[in-house]
Amino acid sequence: MGASLPPKEANLFKLIVKSYETKQYKKGLKAADAILKKFPDHGETLAMKGLTLNCMDRKTEAYDLVRQGLKNDLKSHVCWHVYGLLYRSDREYREAIKCYRNALRIDPDNIEILRDLSLLQAQMRDLSGFVQTRQQLLSLKPNHRMNWIGFAVAHHLNSNASKAVEILEAYEGTLEDDYPPDNERCEHGEMLLYKISLLEECGFLERALEELHKKESKIVDKLAYKEQEVGLLLKLGHLEEGEKLHRQLLSMNPDNYRYYEGLQKCVGLYSENSQFSPDEIDRLDTLYKSLGQQYQWSSAVKRIPLDFLQGDRFLEAAENYIRPLLTKGVPSLFSDLSPLYNHPGKAVILEELMHKLEHSIRTTGRYPGREEKEPPSTLMWVLFLLAQHYDRRGQYDISLSKIDEAIEHTPTVIDLYSVKSRILKHAGDLAAAAALADEARCMDLADRYINSDCVKRMLQADQVVLAEKTAVLFTKDGDQHNNLHDMQCMWYELASGESYFRQGDLGRALKKFLAVEKHYADITEDQFDFHSYCLRKMTLRAYVEMLRFQDRLHSHAYFHKAAVGAIRCYIKLYDSPPKSTTEEDDDMSKLLPSQKKKMRQKQRKAEARAKKEAEEKHEESSAAGASKSGKRHVKPVDPDPHGEKLLQIEDPLLEATKYLKLLQKNSPDSLETHLLSFELNMRKQRILLAFQAAKQLLRLDAEHPDSHCCLIKFFHKVRSMAAPVTDTEKLIWSVLEAERPTISQLHEKSLIEGNKIFLERHKDSLMHRAAVAEMLYVLEPDRKSEAIKLIEESTYNMVPKKEALGPVWEWKLKDCIAVHKLLGTALNDEQAAFRWKVRCAEYFHYSTYFEGSRSSAKSNTAYNQICKNSENGSANHSEGGETADSLTLNGRLEAFKDLNI
């Protein structure tokens, strides 16, 4: 570096490098300028000056200088290396790799460049290249521990675990007998555990166990040692030793569910689907009773038997488990019990038990068979539990009566209001649910969880302005947008995006959904620093696990929701593109002069309001940005706060396809993925891709209403297409003709017959009848009245649901809302939609969408007038947000004081 410079300037060049490494950028710039005064064309100095400027956010100048330096000295490995670092800082990893490879052609043994290249190869999962680079590093510096470990990890990631074991054994052969010293024992122990996990992965179980016992004295993490040992014993079938070791682990942590599961496997009493014979249940009961006597304070040892016990024994165990938790007042008890509702018959037993406890405490003040009196709060917690039980069963009237009684008993318990809010949300009154959540929040203004719960309820009710002002109470410096984004608060962004989408504000909705997508890109980027850190600190098992997690990162539920939301926005944008300025002027010219004047006044007010809000936010952030030293930290201003630029795209379907490909790769077993693929490809006239999506839907669930609709729509579309002319069209037709007989739903049947057979199979299901009606109208528009009749003849019955919950109402609120929209849009019959709304209002008393008799939509308070048109909480709150804001005092809705539910 700087070899072509005189000694004085060469020392200055070293100072530039040192200043860059120590982040003293101004000092480095000063030294670079001193060299460039005498040697203005020195390539390496120009490159280092550019790299320094890049760290000072002067990227354009940085790229210009580095390119100029590279042009002046094309054979300098320093210039190529710096150019690669520049690309790396902008996440252009492929370009950075090209630059590093060019640098290595000039200086093939440069360890720094090789190390940087290996990090990028690990990041980009160029595993074969990663192996080669780590091998070269090891051959250049074989006395460096990190190079041995890096070479082994590279082979492991490249699916060659046996080679990784050989490399680690070769590394151990270079160590002395008394290794490691005391200050390296943890790192060496981690390396040994990693090696044993590799042997286990290769299937060398006996050898792994032998190695584990041999190196016991050198492994510091004794808990990890025991867990690794017990796993190997179980796989080898050494069940007696495994049982003994599991009991030792339980003595260390008697609340670890995995240890109980392992113990059950050792004694031959484990089942994947939790189905046991009567004899096995007896043995399990005996096992857990003995463990219960040994670990009396363990919660797990009392809870696990509830999963396998049946009948009277389940009742006894449940009572023994629930009683002390009710006395103690554990709000999360129902969450703990809720998995039992999926077990046939247990929900009914739990209901009988809860009523028995309630009756006993009401009449005697004590539990059945007990002489000690219970504290007064026990009755309140029993009512709290019963309210959640009936909420789970969909019996909202009883649920609300129980929670109201509990609130009347003890009006100061915050959890009661939170649960009542949740019940109202399930019942369909999102506006009242938001108000109750706000009431709970105001009872403890320092509780962040309750604040977040309240914000979520407000967003579900489409009170976005109010939700933002509530969320800001717990953000740094009161700058809600930037801070929530910086904290990667994805639940907020998703809920906010969905609310904007419901209101038809596609720009803001897209902005929120794409923000979540950016968080996942940042999470992928965040792994970069760990490629060197984990090898240095020897946290190898955690490192490999982290890389595997990153490989399946985009299959996470939050990303799935964000991608689906973005695709739906783009589809809606394609179907209803925003009006151009010319079209808006044409619309204005059609209005009367008085209407034009009102419209312009409204626009001016909206612009003035937006400008004022922007100025206030800027002042707040400027004031908050002032540090103690008086310096201001200027935050970047969002150039597109409302997402208007996101709507100005030429091809929305092309943008949607980018996210669809990610869903197809990471969520291939989701119906929603293939449903969106079908909708997208039908709009793009990609017939074979649409057919592929329809076939995937049939593979996942052929009886689903959406699968049926897509199949009928597809072949109806194909039938209406013109005869094939080109070779491509003829090929597509031949594929479809060959494939149609393979689809059992339409084999030797017309589309109308297939639709009729589907109805016969699912005549008792509302959503299936709605799907059949929609397809009947698509196939034969003149039979519209018959299609509507199919829906209106659906019966609202109580049916057993998998025999787990006992009889429950068959129709769901969200399904009825979907049917109402179908009647009003696809079938285009406002009268039928109105009749359906009136009918559903009788079934869903609390639904604001259907204006049920007990919903807040029927109340005369000011706030409820705002919420009246809500889609189960909101269909259009674009104007309601401001009014709601005017009714708040410290986030509380004064208009709800007189609301009784």
Side-chain angles (χ1 to χ4, degrees), residues 741-767:
T742 64
I743 299 171
S744 60
Q745 289 86 344
L746 296 178
H747 183 53
E748 295 181 355
K749 302 180 193 81
S750 67
L751 296 181
I752 295 170
E753 288 171 343
N755 199 36
K756 191 175 180 182
I757 291 166
F758 189 77
L759 173 63
E760 288 170 4
R761 286 206 303 271
H762 304 285
K763 60 184 176 183
D764 295 328
S765 166
L766 172 64
M767 292 310 290

Side-chain angles (χ1 to χ4, degrees), residues 114 644 884:
L114 282 167
E644 289 165 2

